[in-house]
């Protein structure tokens, strides 16, 4: 999910001839560590008590060492309504829990991504988890 925004990279051709994995295997984590640095993000939620989902906006800013391949962002269990990469609208391509940032819109150095999305809120194991405290009636989202 964009909430955690774990970055990963993978050699992907324009035709997606290689399979994009579920989650972030070690090789992807190592690859992203070599490519992405100086990550900053701003995340804004519209939280409504007991709602099944939340609307959100996230802005990411990061330094990219190699812009020759697409970059994968973790994203699961929601919908992306708008995506911009370096001030250009890009198609929303999601595969196996990854939002794919196309290489032709990435650049070496500083990149900025802005995403507007809806994320589902669910029980433990989901990207956003709700806990309702039966003792004091409080609702917690994490």
């Amino acid at each position: 999910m964009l909430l955690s925004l774990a970055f990963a990279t993978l050699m992907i051709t324009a035709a997606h001839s290689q399979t994009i994995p579920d989650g972030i295997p070690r090789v992807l984590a190592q690859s992203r560590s070599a490519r992405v640095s100086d990550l900053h993000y701003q995340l804004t939620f519209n939280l409504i008590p007991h709602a099944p989902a939340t609307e959100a906006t996230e802005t990411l800013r990061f330094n990219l060492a190699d812009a020759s391949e697409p970059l994968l962002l973790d994203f699961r269990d929601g919908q992306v309504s708008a995506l911009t990469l370096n001030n250009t609208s890009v198609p929303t391509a999601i595969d196996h829990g990854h939002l794919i940032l196309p290489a032709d819109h990435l650049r070496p150095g500083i990149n900025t991504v802005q995403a507007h999305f809806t994320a589902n809120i669910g029980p433990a194991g989901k990207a956003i988890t709700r806990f309702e405290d039966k003792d004091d009636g409080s609702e917690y989202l994490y």
Side-chain angles (χ1 to χ4, degrees):
M1 158 115 355
L2 284 173
L3 302 176
S4 64
L5 292 176
F7 282 96
T9 58
L10 179 64
M11 297 287 288
I12 304 170
T13 65
H16 297 284
S17 63
Q18 293 184 348
T19 302
I20 296 175
D22 287 323
I24 301 179
R26 180 179 296 258
V27 67
L28 290 179
Q30 291 170 333
S31 177
R32 75 168 183 214
S33 177
R35 277 184 84 191
V36 176
S37 62
D38 198 26
L39 172 65
H40 299 272
Y41 60 93
Q42 180 179 13
L43 185 58
T44 305
F45 293 102
N46 181 20
L47 298 174
I48 299 169
H50 309 286
T54 180
E55 290 185 23
T57 300
E58 183 158 28
T59 302
L60 301 168
R61 189 168 183 261
F62 57 92
N63 188 41
L64 187 63
D66 175 10
S68 65
E69 301 169 6
L71 185 66
L72 304 180
L73 302 180
D74 258 3
F75 186 82
R76 61 183 172 105
D77 203 20
Q79 299 277 332
V80 177
S81 58
L83 182 66
T84 60
L85 175 54
N86 297 320
N87 296 315
T88 301
S89 181
V90 293
T92 301
I94 299 173
D95 194 353
H96 286 87
H98 299 285
L99 180 62
I100 303 166
L101 300 181
D104 60 344
H105 287 85
L106 292 167
R107 58 184 174 221
I110 301 299
N111 287 264
T112 302
V113 176
Q114 187 169 50
H116 298 279
F117 62 96
T118 301
N120 295 322
I121 298 172
K126 298 292 183 179
I128 299 177
T129 302
R130 170 185 291 118
F131 174 75
E132 294 187 22
D133 190 324
K134 302 300 181 204
D135 293 331
D136 67 10
S138 296
E139 177 184 28
Y140 300 93
L141 298 174
Y142 59 94

